[in-house]
Amino acid sequence: MSRAMKTPEDLAGLMRWDFAPSPEQWQAIRAPLEPAVVIAGAGSGKTTLMAARVVYLVATEQVRPDEVLGLTFTTKAASQLRAKVREALLAAGLLPEPGADSDDTLEPTVATYNAYAAGLLTDHGLRIGHEPDTRVLSDASRYQLGARVVERHTAEVRFLTDHPPTAIQNLLALDGAMSEHLVSPEEVLAFDAGAEREFLRAYEVEEAGKARKTYLEPPAKAINAIERRRELMALVLAYRRLKRDLGLMDFSDQIELGARLAVEQPDVGALERERFKVVLLDEYQDTSVAQATMLSRLFCGGHAVTAVGDPNQAIYGWRGASVSNILNFADTFPATSGPVPVY
């Protein structure tokens, strides 16, 4: 039976809280089922707010508990969010008590972004030719595989480092960055070729003119960096071939394939939107281009997606995260009418 939830105090009473949500929190909690952004940094109670929103929507019979999806970055954060949401629903009497013929399948789904992508690939990967038994590399195994590629490399090395650990780290970083940004080796090489022509032209013009050292050094360094990346790309291609031959993938591949699945198979998005009426995206400022693409294609059409995060707290730029995802959320998840609210 639907509960009356007209004030923050109504919700606090249902959840057995000693305090009521603030007016700002109340607006985010009772927001309609449409795209929205909640700006909330560390220590602001965002996990509590997400749990309260789930309770509000379930109590007002807008969704069932199992129609809620919550995603975050780490296993620890997912565990904490899952526990907070479950605790809140139990306190409100919206879930059966443990042991009382309870069914976990009726609870909200809370997972990491990678675990969610892995589930998509298990269920639907064959649609894009992905084998469901492909194994995921740990960070240590990924390094070992990269080392094997570097050891087997026989081509001339003119620009790359001759220090194997550095070469391995650079190889893995470039491979991961391309996956997270959804760009192919061919696209990177083509971009670099165009940039190299421009830098060469600038160098030649300066050399034929005043030949000032301070003007010659920048294009020379840029050309050298492009040559290094061209050599490094040969290692990346060998690394990708080896992964494919051994039936392996890493975490970046999971997200890239999840994005590809969402883009190429719109039926999968229709199934996910039917399965999850409400989606909560935690720490959204740290999502990558590939993650944003995957999620926006799956949960498009004005779906009830709430992104929670703080653009000033972005910490994963080094591994492909794009703070522009939360800044441009309204472009990625447009509302069916009117602006996307920011709370």
Side-chain angles (χ1 to χ4, degrees):
M1 184 176 65
S2 179
R3 314 287 182 92
M5 289 285 135
K6 296 183 178 179
T7 67
E9 289 73 23
D10 290 338
L11 180 62
L14 178 64
M15 298 178 67
R16 303 179 188 176
W17 282 359
D18 295 329
F19 58 91
S22 68
E24 293 81 6
Q25 291 173 326
W26 180 237
Q27 290 300 313
I29 289 168
R30 63 191 295 270
L33 294 179
E34 60 185 20
V37 178
V38 177
I39 303 299
S44 62
K46 60 188 178 67
T47 304
T48 299
L49 184 143
M50 286 188 282
R53 176 155 171 75
V54 173
V55 169
Y56 175 86
L57 293 174
V58 173
T60 54
E61 295 187 348
Q62 297 184 63
V63 299
R64 299 192 312 267
D66 59 301
E67 292 177 324
V68 176
L69 171 65
L71 299 179
T72 188
F73 272 95
T74 67
T75 303
K76 180 180 179 182
S79 177
Q80 291 173 340
L81 180 57
R82 186 183 304 111
K84 195 78 172 180
V85 170
R86 191 170 192 276
E87 176 186 292
L89 288 169
L90 283 169
L94 299 171
L95 277 182
E97 291 292 336
D101 297 325
S102 59
D103 185 351
D104 288 347
T105 62
L106 298 179
E107 297 186 12
T109 297
V110 180
T112 65
Y113 289 100
N114 274 94
Y116 177 68
L120 284 177
L121 294 175
T122 298
D123 294 340
H124 305 288
L126 286 174
R127 294 170 182 247
I128 58 170
H130 172 75
E131 294 296 334
D133 59 349
T134 302
R135 290 179 294 136
V136 180
L137 288 162
S138 66
D139 287 340
S141 297
R142 190 167 175 252
Y143 187 90
Q144 291 171 350
L145 206 66
R148 193 186 308 181
V149 169
V150 170
E151 289 169 4
R152 293 178 177 179
H153 189 66
T154 56
E156 180 185 8
V157 175
R158 296 178 55 207
F159 301 97
L160 274 179
T161 176
D162 59 359
H163 184 236
T166 302
I168 296 166
Q169 290 171 357
N170 291 342
L171 151 66
L172 297 178
L174 180 56
D175 174 66
M178 289 195 303
S179 293
E180 295 285 0
H181 286 88
L182 298 178
V183 293
S184 67
E186 294 75 20
E187 288 173 317
V188 173
L189 291 173
F191 177 86
D192 282 353
E196 186 177 32
R197 287 192 294 271
E198 294 299 319
F199 286 124
L200 277 171
R201 187 177 297 113
Y203 186 91
E204 290 168 354
V205 168
E206 180 61 30
E207 189 177 40
K210 297 182 179 180
R212 292 162 292 185
K213 183 179 179 181
T214 54
Y215 283 73
L216 289 171
E217 281 185 352
K221 288 181 179 179
I223 292 167
N224 183 266
I226 290 170
E227 295 287 359
R228 285 201 311 273
R229 186 151 74 176
R230 187 174 293 131
E231 287 190 353
L232 187 61
M233 191 65 76
L235 293 175
V236 171
L237 290 169
Y239 175 69
R240 292 188 167 190
R241 282 194 300 270
L242 186 56
K243 282 193 292 184
R244 186 169 58 250
D245 292 344
L246 296 176
L248 301 170
M249 67 176 174
D250 51 31
F251 291 115
S252 300
D253 297 327
Q254 269 186 336
I255 298 296
E256 180 184 24
L257 288 167
R260 183 182 154 202
L261 176 66
V263 170
E264 297 180 9
Q265 301 292 326
D267 287 352
V268 174
L271 290 171
E272 291 301 290
R273 290 190 295 277
E274 180 66 25
R275 181 183 176 195
F276 298 115
K277 307 297 187 190
V278 172
V279 181
L280 303 172
L281 305 177
D282 189 26
E283 302 290 1
Y284 193 69
Q285 78 279 353
D286 285 322
T287 52
S288 66
V289 171
Q291 287 168 326
T293 299
M294 177 183 74
L295 294 165
S296 64
R297 293 304 182 95
L298 291 174
F299 301 107
C300 56
H303 204 71
V305 177
T306 300
V308 183
D310 181 356
N312 295 317
Q313 296 290 323
I315 59 173
Y316 288 120
W318 55 272
R319 66 112 176 90
S322 177
V323 72
S324 64
N325 285 344
I326 194 167
L327 297 175
N328 300 327
F329 179 85
D331 298 327
T332 313
F333 294 89
T336 52
S337 63
V340 171
V342 179
Y343 300 102

